[in-house]
Amino acid sequence: MFILSGSGKNRLLSSPLEPGIPHLSFPVTTNQQGFNLNILTCGIMDVTLISRMFEELPRQGPGSDECTAYASSQIPILPRGGKILDIGCGSGMQTLALARLYPDCTITASDLHQPFLDDLVHRAKKEGLDGRIIPYRASMDNLPFDRASFDIIWAEGSAFIMGLSNALRYWKQFLKPEGYLVVSDTTWFTDSPSEECREFLDPMCPDLKSVPGTEELIRNAGYAVISSFRLPDAGWWDHFYTPLSARIPLLKAKYAENSDAQMIIQGLEMEMEMHRKYSNEYGYTFFVLKNRCTD
């Protein structure tokens, strides 16, 4: 998910977090309209502001329970006591789906924004799943887990925060030798995108690849591609863009005096309009991967 925020020259920015919580730094580029194009948790304002704007949504990025279930069906049944790590879980719609899909496993759900984790805990208790979901506040680029400790790592729409290549290589150490990684990330669906679509995406994703190009990157990072499939338009709208659209008037009123927030809102509206027009040209692809032990 992409955000327009602020304006000015290119620079490297850090998200200010509470003491003791590691943080990520992000490059920022400027498009032809003079906006800095940043990813969801990047930007010139406190990451807490951005995250707060996405609270109370069913999910914080595109996806669906159906796609979570289909991706999980490509993975052999885990033994009793299996361990799953959900990175960038947000308020945990897919975390809950994983808990239902893997009733004999424990899911560790990590995110930086504590209110998302609190929301996940509340939802899990309502479904009676809280006993198998462990919330953990951590940065995805500085995870506190033991090496080779997870059977599956799950990352729906979150790898782009680090960059897919970085995420693939860093997260690999936490997978068991025969473990699986599931990621969804943006890809081109065409070799000749429309000029407007390319101009919108290029500043944010200058190295955006096709599905075959992404699969080559994945294999070079030490994984085998088990399967890949496109997230349908319903996965963008049903639980993400539609509730977000309904929330935008409230956000505009709530943050009427906050110029940073208004820039984020403007970027969201542009993002949704671009996806309405060009969902046949770009979108999320799910990749189900198996760790290849290279030691």
Side-chain angles (χ1 to χ4, degrees):
M1 174 179 165
F2 307 102
I3 295 292
L4 293 167
S5 60
S7 61
K9 298 179 181 179
N10 297 353
R11 54 192 177 276
L12 188 69
L13 303 167
S14 299
S15 300
L17 303 170
E18 295 180 11
I21 301 296
H23 66 277
L24 296 160
S25 296
F26 306 93
V28 180
T29 59
T30 304
N31 74 349
Q32 294 178 352
Q33 287 73 38
F35 292 104
N36 288 332
L37 294 165
N38 306 309
I39 303 171
L40 174 59
T41 54
C42 319
I44 59 176
M45 69 291 291
D46 189 337
V47 66
T48 303
L49 167 64
I50 304 172
S51 298
R52 282 176 179 164
M53 297 176 75
F54 290 88
E55 292 174 4
E56 301 179 23
L57 292 175
R59 47 187 314 135
Q60 285 66 50
S64 70
D65 284 356
E66 292 79 10
C67 287
T68 300
Y70 183 75
S72 72
S73 73
Q74 310 300 299
I75 299 173
I77 296 173
L78 295 185
R80 190 177 190 85
K83 294 183 178 181
I84 301 170
L85 173 62
D86 184 6
I87 297 177
C89 64
S91 57
M93 186 171 179
Q94 74 290 331
T95 315
L96 298 175
L98 289 170
R100 293 189 293 265
L101 290 163
Y102 295 97
D104 297 321
C105 298
T106 299
I107 297 95
T108 299
S110 68
D111 203 282
L112 269 178
H113 190 54
Q114 187 63 45
F116 289 157
L117 296 173
D118 295 341
D119 190 14
L120 168 58
V121 169
H122 176 72
R123 294 183 185 191
K125 285 181 178 178
K126 286 181 65 175
E127 293 197 33
L129 299 171
D130 52 306
R132 293 189 295 104
I133 295 176
I134 304 168
Y136 206 109
R137 190 176 184 211
S139 178
M140 64 175 63
D141 70 336
N142 193 9
L143 296 170
F145 308 117
D146 293 335
R147 295 178 65 89
S149 55
F150 292 100
D151 298 282
I152 300 175
I153 293 177
W154 206 275
E156 289 194 26
S158 60
F160 74 93
I161 296 173
M162 286 181 65
L164 181 59
S165 181
N166 293 331
L168 290 169
R169 295 179 188 279
Y170 175 63
W171 296 343
K172 184 178 175 68
Q173 65 186 293
F174 303 106
L175 273 180
K176 293 180 180 179
E178 298 297 314
Y180 293 84
L181 172 62
V182 177
V183 297
S184 60
D185 202 51
T186 309
T187 62
W188 287 119
F189 297 151
T190 176
D191 294 328
S192 53
S194 304
E195 182 177 358
E196 182 183 32
C197 184
R198 182 176 288 281
E199 287 182 355
F200 176 71
L201 288 175
D202 273 356
M204 297 176 287
C205 308
D207 298 319
L208 187 60
K209 303 181 186 302
S210 64
V211 173
T214 303
E215 290 181 346
E216 181 180 1
L217 181 150
I218 287 166
R219 285 189 286 269
N220 289 340
Y223 299 86
V225 179
I226 303 303
S227 70
S228 63
F229 62 94
R230 184 184 302 189
L231 178 70
D233 282 356
W236 289 79
W237 289 97
D238 289 356
H239 298 292
F240 183 50
Y241 278 163
T242 296
L244 179 60
S245 297
R247 185 170 169 79
I248 280 192
L250 182 152
L251 294 174
K252 286 182 175 179
K254 182 176 181 178
Y255 296 103
E257 305 301 319
N258 188 319
S259 59
D260 286 340
Q262 293 299 321
M263 279 290 185
I264 295 172
I265 293 166
Q266 180 183 353
L268 288 169
E269 291 178 318
M270 182 180 295
E271 176 188 323
M272 288 186 281
E273 178 59 25
M274 293 300 292
H275 197 265
R276 283 190 189 97
K277 294 172 69 174
Y278 298 113
S279 64
N280 63 320
E281 297 188 9
Y282 78 96
Y284 272 9
T285 299
F286 268 78
F287 298 93
V288 181
L289 316 175
K290 186 173 183 180
N291 193 11
R292 288 204 319 260
C293 187
T294 55
D295 296 338

